[in-house]
Amino acid sequence: MAYNKFAGVYDRLMSDCPYDKWIDFILTKAGDIKEAADGACGTGNIAQRLALKGVKVTAFDISNEMLDLAQEKARKNGLAIRYLQQDLTDFELMHKTELVTVCCDGINYLIGEGELHSCFECANRALNEGGMFIFDISSEYKLRHMDGQMYGDDSEELAYIWNNSIVNDVLELSLSFFCRTNNGLYQRFDEVQFQRAYKYDEIIKTLEETGFGKIEV
């Protein structure tokens, strides 16, 4: 998933996301850490908040467009975050770290056979002894109840229509955006994304298979 034009509207769509509460939760669990890696970092909202707390952060994403925006925001805020273009299923850090995070449903975008296992293996390999992997998902219950649902919103600058359909365990999110241009007209672009509905037992089993213990939900 390489997002393309979607990167440019991502922060507007996520403007009500409680990032600061997420950071409080993460740091309460992880304790007094010095270094962390943030996977599927998007436009850098988690990575930058970790950096503002004094954590040395390496962040990565598969999308060049997302990374460009993240780097621009970090520069404006004077934050020295190391950004890399890497995939969740095949990432490697220069040295081990104390914490790996994957937020904002990043895990759900691992839809291929074995991709969840590969991601968890990479995360385990990236961590120091006793390090912590923290991630969130959209639950199977949530994604299955989105089947057939349509969402929408409009403002002066941006409107969108969002349709959902699920086949087996994969939800297709079909989005149409209408962005206001400088001349007052609206330009349309479409985006199709896919999320996998992972079962609770599947997540736990895969964590155990890839060497994780002390698992909390």
Side-chain angles (χ1 to χ4, degrees):
M1 172 58 63
Y3 286 116
N4 300 322
K5 291 182 180 179
F6 183 67
V9 300
Y10 182 80
D11 282 337
R12 280 184 279 178
L13 295 175
M14 298 289 283
S15 62
D16 61 346
C17 186
Y19 291 116
D20 292 329
K21 290 184 178 180
W22 287 17
I23 293 297
D24 289 344
F25 174 83
I26 289 167
L27 293 180
T28 296
K29 289 292 182 182
D32 184 23
I33 58 169
K34 300 294 187 292
E35 291 189 73
D38 183 38
C41 68
T43 61
N45 293 304
I46 293 294
Q48 289 173 57
R49 284 169 171 81
L50 286 172
L52 287 168
K53 295 289 188 178
V55 180
K56 184 178 180 181
V57 183
T58 297
F60 61 91
D61 200 283
I62 196 172
S63 167
N64 267 326
E65 289 77 13
M66 289 286 194
L67 290 171
D68 286 344
L69 290 171
Q71 289 173 325
E72 181 182 346
K73 287 160 64 176
R75 282 194 298 270
K76 286 181 178 178
N77 290 307
L79 299 173
I81 299 171
R82 184 168 183 259
Y83 284 105
L84 305 171
Q85 186 181 26
Q86 294 199 99
D87 193 304
L88 273 179
T89 63
D90 185 25
F91 67 89
E92 186 173 359
L93 305 179
M94 292 184 67
H95 55 83
K96 292 183 182 291
T97 190
E98 299 168 86
L99 170 69
V100 174
T101 58
V102 179
C103 299
C104 302
D105 303 346
I107 296 296
N108 291 101
Y109 287 95
L110 303 174
I111 62 171
E113 189 69 30
E115 289 188 351
L116 184 71
H117 193 280
S118 296
C119 173
F120 288 1
E121 273 191 330
C122 289
N124 192 299
R125 192 165 54 241
L127 288 167
N128 291 327
E129 185 71 26
M132 188 173 289
F133 179 32
I134 298 179
F135 62 91
D136 67 80
I137 63 167
S138 280
S139 68
E140 181 191 21
Y141 176 90
K142 172 187 173 181
L143 294 187
R144 292 200 183 282
H145 280 75
M146 289 172 67
D147 184 30
Q149 299 295 318
M150 183 180 75
Y151 306 96
D153 196 9
D154 70 279
S155 66
E156 188 173 336
E157 299 299 322
L158 173 69
Y160 68 87
I161 301 170
W162 172 5
N163 289 286
N164 300 277
S165 61
I166 195 165
V167 177
N168 297 323
D169 294 325
V170 177
L171 181 74
E172 178 179 311
L173 302 85
S174 178
L175 303 110
S176 295
F177 294 94
F178 303 86
C179 299
R180 187 178 184 181
T181 61
N182 291 333
N183 60 13
L185 300 177
Y186 287 81
Q187 182 180 39
R188 172 177 173 167
F189 72 90
D190 299 306
E191 179 92 6
V192 178
Q193 300 179 13
F194 298 92
Q195 289 196 358
R196 187 177 183 89
Y198 282 105
K199 294 177 172 61
Y200 170 89
D201 290 345
E202 185 177 8
I203 294 282
I204 300 299
K205 180 183 177 183
T206 307
L207 285 168
E208 292 173 341
E209 288 176 346
T210 52
F212 286 98
K214 297 183 180 178
I215 299 167
E216 296 182 15
V217 181

